[in-house]
Amino acid sequence: MSPNFYPMKLYQSAIVSTDNQPDLSFNMDADPNKNYSIWLHFAEIDPRITTEGKHVFDILINGDTAFKNVDIIQIAGAPYASVVLNKTVTVTGRTLTITMHPVNGSHAIINAIEIFEIIALESKTAAEEVRALQTLKNSLGLPLRLGWNGDPCVPQQHPWSGADCQFIGGSWVIDGLGLDNQGLRGVLPSVISKLHHLQTINLSGNSIHGSIPTSLGSIASLQILDLSYNLLNGSIPESLGQLTSLRILNLNGNFLSGKVPSTLGGRPLHGASFNFTGNAGLCGIPGLPTCGPHLSTRAKLGIGFGGLIAFLLMIVFLTCWWKRRKNILRAQKIAAAREAPYAKARTQYTRDVQLTRPYRVQDKSPTHSPPPLLP
C-alpha cells in the first residue's frame, strides 16, 4: 500500500542524467541494522522521449541491483504517466546509496525518492489519554502544522509535537504538554484531567479564554502549571490547592478575579514559585490588593435563594391583597344595588304618611281664665 497520496506537482519536474554524468546517485544517512522502505517516483516528461528504449536504466541500492532495465514508457504504457517502484532493504552501515545506472547508452530519470524507516510494532498509548488529547486538540484549535494524527507516542522517535511520553504499566502515557506560543485560541476543556500522569503543563503565550477547569486539581502528579499570558477569566479554583506536588504556578497576565485560595497563598513561603501578577481583579495575598468582605459560593447561593423566596412571597401577598380588595369592592356594589329600592320605598312611605296626618289648627283666640272663686 502506498505510504501517502502523491500530488501532481511531484511529477512536473525531474532530474535526468547527461552524457558527461550518466549515473544519477543519491546518498543519505541511515541508522545501522535498520530496515528501510524505499519509494521511487518516475514520470517520462521529456517531450523528446515518446517511445520505448530511450531511457533505460538499472536501479542499485547500496551496490545491489534492485530493479533491472527500467523503461518508464514501457512500464507506464505512455509518456507523461507516473510509475512508482518500492523496495524494502536492510542497511548495515550508516549510508544508504541509491543509483540509477543507464543501459546501452541511454539516460536515467528520477522525479522523487521517499525513504521510511520500518519500526517494529510497539505498545500503544493508553486509549483514554489519546481521546483526551484529541478533545484538547479540537477545543484549543491546534494548528495543522502540529499534526497530532495517529498514536501520540508511537513510534518513539516521532511523538506528537508538544507531547512528552512515558512508558508505565505496559502502555504509553502523556507526562508533559508543552504548547506555549502556538497561537491556541479555544478554551481549556475539563477532560484534560484524564491525562492522569501529567507532571508539566505549559500553555503560556496563547489566546486561551474562559475559566480554569476545576478538574485540574485532580492531577495529583502535576508539578508545573503555566497558563500565563492568556485571556483566562473567572476565579482561581479552590481545587488547585489540592496539588501538593505543585512547585511552579504561573497565572500572571490574565483576567482572573476574586480571592486567591488560602491553600495557595502560603505555598511560596515553602519554596514554591507562584505568580499571580497582571490580574487586576485578584486579591488576598502579599503583592495583591486587599480583598473586601468575601462570601463563599455557598453563602452567595443562599443569599440569592433567600432573595428569590422573598420576592415570590411579596408577589403572592400583593396578589392576595389585590384579589381581596376586588372582592370587597364587588360586595359593596352588590349590597348597594340591593338596598337602593328598599330605601326609596321607605322614603316614599314616610312622605305619604306625613301628608295624610290631620292638621290641627292652633287656636289663636284670647284665652279666658275662669272667674276666681269667692270666699
Side-chain angles (χ1 to χ4, degrees), residues 10-15 41-45 109-113:
L10 184 70
Y11 302 102
Q12 293 177 349
S13 62
I15 299 175
H41 297 264
F42 303 95
E44 186 57 80
I45 60 174
I109 186 173
I110 183 73
N111 293 76
I113 299 174

Side-chain angles (χ1 to χ4, degrees), residues 319-339:
T319 302
C320 293
W321 176 82
W322 177 249
K323 288 185 176 181
R324 185 171 182 274
R325 178 174 175 80
K326 288 180 67 177
N327 291 337
I328 292 173
L329 292 174
R330 187 183 298 112
Q332 289 176 348
K333 287 181 179 180
I334 293 173
R338 289 179 178 176
E339 188 176 325

Side-chain angles (χ1 to χ4, degrees), residues 99-316:
T99 302
M100 269 65 68
H101 177 68
V103 177
N104 298 328
S106 297
H107 294 89
I109 186 173
I110 183 73
N111 293 76
I113 299 174
E114 289 183 290
I115 300 175
F116 299 91
E117 180 184 344
I118 298 176
I119 300 172
L121 182 64
E122 304 178 43
S123 297
K124 296 182 179 180
T125 307
E128 183 183 38
E129 303 219 347
V130 176
R131 289 192 294 269
L133 285 176
Q134 290 289 2
T135 302
L136 192 70
K137 171 186 176 180
N138 296 332
S139 182
L140 294 179
L142 260 69
L144 295 177
R145 56 184 167 77
L146 291 180
W148 280 41
N149 298 306
D151 191 289
C153 301
V154 179
Q156 298 179 47
Q157 298 90 331
H158 307 288
W160 284 2
S161 179
D164 298 329
C165 300
Q166 186 177 5
F167 192 76
I168 299 176
S171 62
W172 291 95
V173 298
I174 309 300
D175 66 350
L177 284 177
L179 296 171
D180 52 304
N181 300 297
Q182 295 297 330
L184 309 182
R185 296 181 178 277
V187 297
L188 191 58
S190 60
V191 75
I192 193 174
S193 63
K194 299 296 183 181
L195 303 172
H196 304 291
H197 303 87
L198 280 175
Q199 298 180 24
T200 63
I201 298 176
N202 185 358
L203 302 176
S204 62
N206 290 292
S207 298
I208 302 172
H209 57 272
S211 59
I212 300 173
T214 302
S215 61
L216 279 175
S218 64
I219 309 177
S221 58
L222 196 60
Q223 300 178 22
I224 299 174
L225 176 59
D226 192 345
L227 303 177
S228 59
Y229 300 107
N230 278 284
L231 305 174
L232 296 168
N233 54 37
S235 59
I236 300 175
E238 295 279 349
S239 62
L240 295 188
Q242 303 171 11
L243 300 175
T244 55
S245 300
L246 198 61
R247 296 183 293 103
I248 297 177
L249 175 62
N250 292 333
L251 301 178
N252 50 299
N254 283 283
F255 296 92
L256 300 171
S257 59
K259 184 178 181 180
V260 176
S262 57
T263 50
L264 294 174
R267 295 282 189 89
L269 300 177
H270 298 86
S273 173
F274 290 180
N275 192 342
F276 303 107
T277 60
N279 293 280
L282 284 181
C283 62
I285 63 171
L288 296 179
T290 303
C291 295
H294 178 70
L295 295 176
S296 65
T297 302
R298 182 176 298 179
K300 291 178 181 178
L301 290 175
I303 292 173
F305 184 74
L308 178 62
I309 295 297
F311 177 75
L312 292 176
L313 288 175
M314 181 179 294
I315 294 297
V316 171

Side-chain angles (χ1 to χ4, degrees), residues 350-365:
T350 303
R351 192 172 69 86
D352 293 344
V353 169
Q354 289 176 349
L355 290 175
T356 57
R357 289 177 62 182
Y359 181 76
R360 295 179 63 183
V361 179
Q362 186 176 3
D363 188 6
K364 297 184 179 181
S365 60

Side-chain angles (χ1 to χ4, degrees), residues 80-113:
Y80 303 105
S82 62
V83 172
V84 181
L85 302 178
N86 171 247
K87 184 75 173 180
T88 299
V89 298
T90 300
V91 178
T92 57
R94 293 187 174 277
T95 303
L96 177 60
T97 302
I98 301 173
T99 302
M100 269 65 68
H101 177 68
V103 177
N104 298 328
S106 297
H107 294 89
I109 186 173
I110 183 73
N111 293 76
I113 299 174

